[in-house]
Structures are given as C-alpha cells and as structure tokens.
Amino acid sequence: MARGPSKRQQRITAAFDALCAAMARALGAAEGAREATVRAHAEAMAEMWLRTEGLDGAQADPELRGLLTNPRLAGPLERVRSDRTAAFGEWLDGGPQRLARILAEAAPDAAGREPDQWLGQVGKTDGAGPVPALWSIGTGRIGGAEPGLPVAVPLLDESHLQITSTHDSRARAEALVENLLLRVMSSFRPGMVHLHVWDVGQFTGSLPGLYPLTRTGLLTVHDPSMLAQLLEELSDRIRRVHTRVLVDGHPSLRAMAETTGGRTEPWVVAVLVGNRAALSADDHRQLQRVARGGLACGVQLVLLDVPMTVNAPIETVRFDDSGAASTSMTGPHVTVEPDPPLPTAEVTRACHTIADEHERWRSRIGTFADLLPPSAQWGTTRSVSGLHAPVGFADGLPVQMALSDAAPHALIGGPSGSGKTNLLLTMISSMAARYGPDELEFYLLDFKEGVSFAQFAPGRRDRTWLPHARLVGVNINTDREFGLALLQFLSDEMRRRAEAAKTHEVTKLEELRDADPDARWPRIVAVIDEFQYLFAERDAVTRQATLLLEDVARRGRSQGIHLVLASQDVSGIEAFWGRPAIFEQFVLRIALPRARRVLAELNDATLGLPRWHAVLNHESGHTHGNEVVRIPDATGKGSVDEVQRVLHETYAEGRREPRLFDGSRSPRFADLLARLPEGEPSALVGQCIDVAGSAAAVGLPDAPGRNLAVFASAGREAVRVLGAAAASLAGRHPRGELDVVIAPLVAEAAEPAQRLAEQVTAAGQRAETVTLDGLRARVVALAADIGGRLGDTTPRRHITVVLYAADAADTVLEREGTEALRKLLRFGPETGVHVLGWWRSPARLKALLTMGASSDDVGAWVALDVQGSELQPLVPGMMIPWSPRPGRGLLFDRAQHAQPEVVIVPSLEGS
C-alpha cells in the first residue's frame, strides 16, 4: 500500500505554498516569465525552514513563523508545480547556488546596475508595449540569511508609494526615492514620464541630483507654499483625462494603451516631501481625491514623510534609525537593505543625458503621418461617446482635441498666415482616419475666397473625394444665405434626431444608438471657416443665423451635432455681444499665434506663440486649460491627399459623392433640370441656395397670374434666366404639346433666341420666332384666341410667349398691341397661355399693368441688377433689402414664398 506524505512533508508543502504566494505577490508573478524566480525564492525559503529546529512549528524561528501566518499571504495564486513533495529532496541540493543563478537571469532591474546602464534604454521604450510593474529598491533578508532576495515595488499604473523615515534615516529615504525615480526616467523615452517635486521645508526642493531635468520640463519643482496649486493641477489632469481621453469604455490609460497599441498621455509622478506633520484638512482631502483617481489617469504619488490614509492602492516603506527598512511588499519579518545612494555626480550626469535626449526628441518635428493611427486601425473607432483625435504634438506626444458632451463645439482663431487652414485640414484628416463614414460626417464651409475644402470633393484632375464629407462649400463670401441654409439644415436634423430619441424614450445620441442600432446616426461636425461673414450685416440673414446658431449650439450636443467655427479675428462679431448662451457652448478653444478674443479675457498665451503652434484649451479658454501644441504641415503632397485616397478606396463604393457648392461657378442647366421634381411643367430659373442644391423653379399651371417676369437693365444674365425657363418648359411638356413663341426684341437677344428655338425643336415642341415688326400682329392674334379657349373644354396645345426686352416693343405695339398684351397677362394663364418676359426695369412692367391689368397678373418674378427699392411697387407693404450681386437673382413667387429668396443664375453651357 502506498504511503501518503508524512506530516513533516505536509508542513513543508504548506510552507512552500505560502512562500510561493508571498513571492508571487511581491514580484508580480502572474506572468509566466516570473515563475522561475518565484520558485527559486520559495526553494530558498523552504531550505531556511528546514534548517530551523522543531518542524512542528512550536519551536520554529519566530520570524519565519510570523511570515507564514501573515494575512497578506492568504490570497489564492497560481501554484508553481502540481507535486511539490516529489521534488522535496532536490531542494536540499545546491539550492542557494541555483537561486543566485536564476536571480541573475530573471530579477527585475538588479540593484548593481549603474547609471550608464540605465541610460542605455533611453528613447527605446514609449510605453506602448508592456510596462514594468516592479522597480527594484533593495535586498531583503530573513534573519540575516543568505542569499538575499531582491525587493521591488509596484509603481506606474499600479500603486502609490508612501515612505516614512526617522531623523537619522531621512537621507537614506531620499536616496531611495532618487534611485527609484532615476530608474523610472531612464526606462522610457524622455517625455513619457514627468516629475513634480514639492518639499515643505526647502525652497529649492529635494533630490538636487535630478535638477538637470528641469531645463526641458521633465521635472517641475514647486514652491513650499503652493501645495494646493499642485494638487489642483493634478486634479485638473485627472479630470481632463477622464473627459477627453478615456472614451469608448476604457477604464484606464493602461487599458486604453493595450487596446489601441499606443500611449498618448505621459505618466506624472508627484513626489511630496513632508516633515511628518499632518497636512491641513483641505490639502488632505484634495490629496485623497488625487490618490483615488490618479492611477487610472497615469498620476502616481510618492509620499515621503507625508502622513495620510487613502482608499487606493498604496505600498509602504518604513525606515528605522539604522537605515534598514520594512515594506508592505515583504511583510514585517523581512529586513530590507535599500540600494546604496548613487554618486551625486553620476546622477547629475545621467539626468543631463536624459534632458539632452528629451531636447533632441522635442526638436524632432512630428510629421502629419505621426498623427494618424496604425493602418489596421483606420476607421475602427466608434463615435458613441464623442470624437477624439490628435491635432498636434507636445513634448513629442500627440495631443488630442475632443468634441463630446463635455466640449461640444470648438472656436478657432488666428490671423492671416498663422496656420488656421493647415490646422483645419489636420483636424479633418485626423478624425476621418479614425472614424468611418457611418460614425462621422462633415459639412465644410469656407466663406473666404479660397478652395481649401474643395479638395474633399471630386475635381477635374483628382476624382477622389472624402467619403465622410456630405457638403463642401467654397467661395461663399457673398452667399451668406448658404451659411444660413446650413444652420437651418442642422436645426432640422437636430429636431429629426430629437423626435427619434423621443420615440425610443431616450434623451441623447449615445442612448439613441443603443436603442436603435439598425439606423444610421453618425456624429456631424460642421466646420465653418471665416464664419464672421455670416454675421457681417445688420439684416435678416444675421438675425436668423444668430437664432439658429444659438439653438444648434445649445441643443446640438445631445444629438451629436458639433460646430467648429474658425475666424481670423472674432473681436468684430457684434451679433454675439450680449448672447453668452452661444459662446458658453464653445468649450474647446484653439488659438493660433497672435489670435485675439478666442481665449478668455486675461489669457494672453498666444502673444509669444511661435509659428506652427497653437494653444489647445478645453476649459472655455481659461488659463489653466492651456496646452501648447505644434501643428504639423498638412498641405504637402502625401498628407491630406493620401488620407483621402486611402479612405476613398475603402469607403467610396456605393456612397453618394459630397455636394460641392462653389460660389464662383454657375450651376449647369442640365444638372438643375435633372433635379426638378416630377409633376406639372415648371420654369427653371436657377438654383436655390440650400444644402441640397435644389432647382429653383416657378410652377406654371393653368391658373390666373402664372406668368414670369425677369428684371435686368443688362441682358447677359437675363437671357440666361429666360432661356432656362423656356427650355425647361419645352423639355417637361409631352412632346408635340407646346408652342413657344420667341420674340428677340433687341440685338443682344438674337443669338440666345436662336439657341432657345433649337432647344425647343430638339425637345419635340414647335418653335416660332417673331421680329419686333411682327410682334403686334402675333400678340393681337393670341389675345383674340383667348376668348375661344376660355370656353373650350377639349384638350388644347399650351403656348408660351417668350419676350426678350419686352419693353422695347412699347413703340410698335401701339394701343391695340398693348391692350392685347395686357389681356394675355390677365387671362392667358388659365387658358394655357403663359408669358415669360424680360423687362429692363420693374417700372416699365408696372406701367404696362397700370390699366387693364395688375401686378397680381405676374405671379412670379426674378430681379437681377435692380435695387430692392425698385421692386417695392410690385409687392406693396413688403420691405425688400436687395442689392444686386453678380450671378445672383432675387426670386419671388406669390404661390410659394412669403419673402423673396436668393437664387443662382444658371449657365446654359452644355445644356
């Protein structure tokens, strides 16, 4: 019969398990790579146990007995091997020698490492990969036994550290902190760890060997009286990381780095050196808040003689008068001998080397490509909780801007030449690379005379386009109505989303996307460059735009609609004075060199800002939120264009091209004709200034007053409007059912009239051209026919009379012809006879309508190069603030308009 393990072996196995647990806890042995070290420690400890007297435990060494009964060893941890008793005999054979060999291979950061060896790692680690969880501080022994065991403390992302000393051991404690910090600083690329030192007793601060780090900002020494300000700065950092960086469910910066493959925020280690006296109640509470929230946000505390208790992971080191220590990692029965202080000259030299490397790294200009995510991660980020994308660099690290519930809208300012356009291109590309078109849509407007955004729409040479862009507007400095149309569109979209949220009984976009996962609810970013043009006049456009902007800015955040307004100088936007409800919503402020009124009133951080830099501020422009970032060049070949090319190849298939509105170009007649809705024939007169680029048309049913007048002193644009109106009617009528009578009454109309006749004929309709001399007889004949048409119920051919410069016929029509024309205008439309006429002034048409007709007989008109005051007689009681603009007309149709609207004159080329 097989015999089981003896009681002696059972006690040894229990001791072995407990020791394994202790060493695993001390050395972070969850990783398989630590197993050999843990096993070796346990073997050495078990060997010490065997050498004690009284294996029943009653007479065992009290230090060992205390270690084995320590409550810290009780946690369940992985067993090193399944059958320890079988290997028990091997432990007695060469255990210490085997331990020393294994420690030399596997111990973390051996104590004998010199500063030069530490510096060999500078610049090689950026925190994207595995981060050391343990940092060696000395050697531990039980009862003076050999060999000693390395003692390490967790720090970055793991735990805070509290050190207490006596008067005689204070120097040893400070040396431990200096050694520990130098190990940390030398293990990462400079810039990945920032140090803050506060010493209650010294204006110059402690740890003087680290002072070379101050010249590049890696070390900040705080005034003894400024502890509250330091703690507030740390609290602000924690708050910023939570609201802007830890998105999409990431609980900590470590978890985010493991998911994204990179770390965008440096660690901050705050060293507080006290005098064993208690802090004030306010400082203690603030320090507790920092300790609780700091580790997830990369903020670690090292407290030297600062007594406090916190509900957060914190390890302790306690020095006695002899300079020996005990630690929470090894328990009270292990005596720790800290690593000896390093020579001051060597520490200083090492820190100078780190600072030099940091300076070289900071001088390296981060390229546009450095802002983009790894290719495998393009388009993989979700926008449920907001939009986050880097736009520049600080200390060699990308700095992110955020558009979210906390910072819903952005205000960007910078004078000409400061890099505003470059910043906007960087922002758009960085966001587009991270979020797919179903997560993010752009509406891009540029009021100045430029084409910066035009590259995101298909062009003549480059047919690619940005799949995220739904609307691109350029050269719209004279078309303020287009900016108003965009705000109206955003307002309508906001209400549509609010109705959907109400249906699903939720309140904001994030909840709506969860409740309605099958629908498409991307976040919308509307970028308006030189937006001040929209509010440049004291008129109806400004009043409407101000109301709409306030509505969208205030309520858009909950529906995922974000505004980015950019300007050379926002100080002159008088429309916003006294309207804090607008600017209070623009929490994110980005100020370029010499920008004014973008940041808070007393924040002058832009005055000394170098070119290609910006102040990024997510705190409504207040000074404590300033982040100075360097913006890379996004205008060169292979930057924005390459991002667009990749995104176009990935997403363009099956998607609609963005609509391009170019204020310097006239819309093509053929394109507008295709946008006319089906139904009754209508006269196309231009393009509406709206987001959809709708065709502006006048319906001409068989009803009183359905005639069209065009007012222009010159004929260049008038003949285009008149030609488009008549040609569209010919194309929309059934073939063979329309007669078009064309009367070119001035020389400049001869060629357009001939072209119109050809279009009418090509559309299958009958065209008849009459001269000035023959006009009277033709008009009289048409008027005489109206009486018979009024009583005729059988189908009849429609007739359209096109008069080029109709007032030129006043001298030839004579009384009979004039009366006949009045009859056509009054009674013709209800019989299917419509007049499309160009009059060279509204007054000339008004004179025609004085007797036997009225202004109601011309139910629609388009005014070109005439002043609004000239139109007043046609619409009594209505104010018409219209000033002529090239390529634009003012359309009024009594059947559909309460107020006239601006339209764009079409081009007949290619029609």
Side-chain angles (χ1 to χ4, degrees):
M1 177 180 294
R3 297 177 55 190
S6 66
K7 291 184 178 180
R8 176 174 179 274
Q9 289 176 321
Q10 292 175 4
R11 285 196 297 272
I12 293 174
T13 299
F16 181 85
D17 288 343
L19 290 165
C20 280
M23 292 303 104
R25 172 68 181 85
L27 296 178
E31 302 174 17
R34 302 283 189 197
E35 182 178 314
T37 304
V38 175
R39 181 180 176 84
H41 289 172
E43 290 173 355
M45 290 281 224
E47 188 172 346
M48 297 176 198
W49 173 269
L50 291 174
R51 288 202 294 263
T52 61
E53 296 180 1
L55 292 180
D56 59 358
Q59 303 176 19
D61 187 307
E63 290 185 349
L64 287 176
R65 187 169 64 249
L67 176 63
L68 292 177
T69 58
N70 191 320
R72 291 179 59 85
L73 308 183
L77 293 170
E78 179 185 4
R79 298 172 68 88
V80 179
R81 289 288 184 265
S82 59
D83 185 4
R84 291 157 181 81
T85 58
F88 174 71
E90 300 178 8
W91 298 349
L92 302 179
D93 230 0
Q97 293 79 9
R98 206 164 53 251
L99 172 64
R101 175 174 51 78
I102 293 176
L103 288 181
E105 296 173 356
D109 201 1
R113 199 168 169 206
E114 296 297 327
D116 281 342
Q117 293 175 286
W118 300 337
L119 292 175
Q121 294 189 35
V122 170
K124 294 183 179 179
T125 306
D126 60 4
V131 175
L134 297 161
W135 305 87
S136 176
I137 61 170
T139 304
R141 292 182 174 85
I142 298 178
E146 292 291 346
L149 306 173
V151 176
V153 298
L155 191 60
L156 300 185
D157 297 328
E158 293 276 350
S159 174
H160 305 296
L161 179 61
Q162 187 175 47
I163 304 171
T164 57
S165 69
T166 65
H167 180 273
D168 293 335
S169 61
R170 178 64 173 260
R172 292 298 302 272
E174 290 186 1
L176 183 149
V177 173
E178 184 176 77
N179 288 3
L180 180 62
L181 294 180
L182 188 55
R183 282 191 169 96
V184 171
M185 294 298 292
S186 65
S187 295
F188 296 95
R189 175 181 58 73
M192 290 304 302
V193 182
H194 287 219
L195 302 180
H196 291 261
V197 174
W198 173 84
D199 188 338
V200 69
Q202 299 185 45
F203 280 99
T204 57
S206 299
L207 315 175
L210 304 180
Y211 268 41
L213 301 176
T214 60
R215 62 183 169 90
T216 61
L218 293 177
L219 170 64
T220 303
V221 180
H222 295 265
D223 187 280
S225 64
M226 305 291 278
L227 177 60
Q229 286 83 343
L230 170 59
L231 296 178
E232 184 62 32
E233 180 180 334
L234 297 176
S235 298
D236 286 342
R237 182 178 188 84
I238 294 170
R239 188 161 48 245
R240 179 182 65 81
V241 170
H242 272 296
T243 57
R244 289 174 41 204
V245 183
L246 293 180
V247 295
D248 297 331
H250 295 300
S252 66
L253 288 177
R254 168 184 276 185
M256 183 176 177
E258 291 172 351
T259 301
T260 62
R263 192 177 182 101
T264 60
E265 294 291 323
W267 287 278
V268 172
V269 180
V271 182
L272 307 186
V273 182
N275 57 5
R276 292 173 289 277
L279 300 175
S280 69
D282 288 342
D283 290 342
H284 191 270
R285 282 193 295 270
Q286 184 75 323
L287 190 57
Q288 285 181 320
R289 285 194 290 268
V290 171
R292 286 195 298 269
L295 293 177
C297 301
V299 176
Q300 278 74 215
L301 298 175
V302 176
L303 309 177
L304 176 55
D305 292 331
V306 177
M308 68 169 295
T309 56
V310 296
N311 184 20
I314 186 166
E315 302 290 355
T316 60
V317 177
R318 294 180 175 85
F319 282 86
D320 58 24
D321 287 335
S322 68
S326 61
T327 75
S328 57
M329 290 76 67
T330 55
H333 302 289
V334 176
T335 301
V336 177
E337 180 183 345
D339 294 337
L342 295 166
T344 301
E346 295 302 311
V347 173
T348 302
R349 184 169 63 85
C351 289
H352 273 298
T353 303
I354 294 172
D356 290 341
E357 180 66 22
H358 187 219
E359 191 66 41
R360 283 191 293 272
W361 180 265
R362 290 200 307 178
S363 65
R364 184 185 73 87
I365 299 178
T367 65
F368 175 84
D370 294 331
L371 292 179
L372 303 178
S375 57
Q377 297 177 14
W378 281 41
T380 60
T381 307
R382 300 194 67 209
S383 63
V384 175
S385 58
L387 299 165
H388 302 76
V391 294
F393 301 90
D395 288 326
L397 288 175
V399 178
Q400 291 194 346
M401 63 167 284
L403 292 173
S404 60
D405 287 353
H409 311 298
L411 186 65
I412 299 174
S416 178
S418 61
K420 177 166 56 65
T421 299
N422 183 72
L423 171 62
L424 292 174
L425 294 177
T426 301
M427 178 198 74
I428 293 168
S429 301
S430 183
M431 284 187 175
R434 282 165 173 78
Y435 301 93
D438 291 330
E439 298 286 333
L440 167 65
E441 287 185 348
F442 284 115
Y443 292 78
L444 309 172
L445 267 62
D446 188 352
F447 269 98
K448 67 179 182 296
E449 295 182 6
V451 292
S452 301
F453 294 156
Q455 61 189 296
F456 296 122
R460 295 189 187 94
R461 292 185 299 176
D462 183 2
R463 297 303 299 170
T464 67
W465 41 275
L466 184 66
H468 304 66
R470 303 307 333 129
L471 174 71
V472 177
V474 297
N475 292 319
I476 56 176
N477 52 306
T478 60
D479 290 311
R480 297 165 57 237
E481 295 84 1
F482 192 72
L484 179 63
L486 174 61
L487 291 178
Q488 184 64 61
F489 168 81
L490 296 176
S491 180
D492 294 342
E493 175 65 16
M494 182 175 65
R495 284 169 176 75
R496 184 180 77 88
R497 295 184 175 204
E499 286 297 322
K502 184 178 179 181
T503 301
H504 290 278
E505 299 181 342
V506 296
T507 58
K508 57 184 181 178
L509 181 70
E510 185 173 351
E511 298 167 344
L512 177 60
R513 290 180 60 163
D514 288 338
D516 190 13
D518 296 329
R520 186 176 179 275
W521 302 108
R523 287 190 179 267
I524 291 175
V525 176
V527 182
I528 307 179
D529 194 9
E530 301 303 340
F531 73 100
Q532 74 276 6
Y533 280 99
L534 183 56
F535 308 94
E537 306 290 339
R538 295 177 179 269
D539 59 6
V541 172
T542 291
R543 290 191 296 273
Q544 290 179 263
T546 302
L547 293 174
L548 286 171
L549 179 64
E550 182 174 350
D551 187 32
V552 174
R554 183 167 47 87
R555 300 197 297 136
R557 72 166 70 201
S558 61
Q559 305 306 333
I561 297 175
H562 308 282
L563 298 170
V564 177
L565 304 185
S567 173
Q568 290 188 17
D569 188 357
V570 299
S571 62
I573 307 173
E574 297 182 3
F576 294 156
W577 294 120
R579 288 185 176 271
I582 293 180
F583 270 121
E584 285 176 358
Q585 304 301 324
F586 287 80
V587 177
L588 172 57
R589 310 287 178 88
I590 305 178
L592 293 153
R594 306 182 309 283
R596 296 191 298 142
R597 302 298 297 274
V598 179
L599 303 177
E601 186 173 356
L602 299 179
N603 190 347
D604 59 359
T606 66
L607 296 182
L609 205 60
R611 193 164 182 254
W612 301 108
H613 286 69
V615 175
L616 188 68
N617 188 300
H618 287 80
E619 303 292 340
S620 298
H622 294 288
T623 306
H624 67 270
N626 288 351
E627 291 182 273
V628 177
V629 298
R630 186 183 66 254
I631 312 298
D633 181 14
T635 61
K637 187 173 179 58
S639 51
V640 175
D641 58 333
E642 180 63 15
V643 171
Q644 178 165 304
R645 184 192 65 79
V646 173
L647 294 174
H648 185 268
E649 291 180 355
T650 306
Y651 297 111
E653 186 175 355
R655 294 184 184 272
R656 188 165 43 90
E657 293 182 1
R659 164 158 146 63
L660 174 63
F661 178 93
D662 188 343
S664 65
R665 298 180 183 179
S666 298
R668 295 175 66 250
F669 169 79
D671 295 337
L672 293 177
L673 191 63
R675 298 177 200 159
L676 277 178
E678 297 294 332
E680 283 190 342
S682 54
L684 174 68
V685 296
Q687 177 181 289
C688 298
I689 301 183
D690 61 7
V691 169
S694 308
V698 173
L700 295 181
D702 293 350
R706 302 318 295 162
N707 298 303
L708 172 67
V710 179
F711 302 122
S713 60
R716 186 172 63 87
E717 293 180 350
V719 298
R720 286 159 56 188
V721 174
L722 208 59
S728 62
L729 285 171
R732 285 309 183 96
H733 270 85
R735 295 178 69 87
E737 293 189 7
L738 176 67
D739 293 343
V740 181
V741 179
I742 305 171
L745 306 181
V746 292
E748 62 182 307
E751 184 178 343
Q754 181 181 354
R755 186 165 58 247
L756 174 60
E758 294 171 353
Q759 289 177 293
V760 170
T761 302
Q765 315 297 355
R766 187 169 66 187
E768 176 189 354
T769 302
V770 297
T771 63
L772 182 61
D773 294 336
L775 178 62
R776 181 170 64 89
R778 190 69 181 94
V779 170
V780 170
L782 288 171
D785 188 47
I786 284 179
R789 294 171 69 93
L790 282 172
D792 186 4
T793 59
T794 61
R796 55 183 179 264
R797 295 175 64 83
H798 284 77
I799 300 174
T800 298
V801 180
V802 182
L803 303 175
Y804 288 92
D807 51 280
D810 291 349
T811 58
V812 298
L813 287 178
E814 299 179 347
R815 182 182 181 86
E816 182 184 20
T818 301
E819 291 295 335
L821 182 56
R822 287 173 179 155
K823 187 176 181 180
L824 284 180
L825 291 171
R826 166 151 287 198
F827 300 108
E830 59 189 290
T831 69
V833 179
H834 303 276
V835 175
L836 312 180
W838 157 34
W839 278 266
R840 287 176 288 189
S841 75
R844 296 188 182 188
L845 174 62
K846 186 66 176 175
L848 174 67
L849 301 175
T850 300
M851 298 177 60
S854 73
S855 57
D856 290 341
D857 293 331
V858 180
W861 46 259
V862 177
L864 297 171
D865 61 345
V866 298
Q867 296 293 331
S869 57
E870 300 180 61
L871 301 168
Q872 296 292 155
L874 300 177
V875 281
M878 183 185 296
M879 294 295 296
I880 303 180
W882 167 251
S883 296
R885 285 147 48 184
R888 304 296 182 267
L890 192 66
L891 168 64
F892 179 69
D893 185 346
R894 297 179 190 278
Q896 59 178 323
H897 295 145
Q899 293 285 336
E901 68 175 36
V902 180
V903 297
I904 306 173
V905 176
S907 167
L908 298 180
E909 296 178 6
S911 60

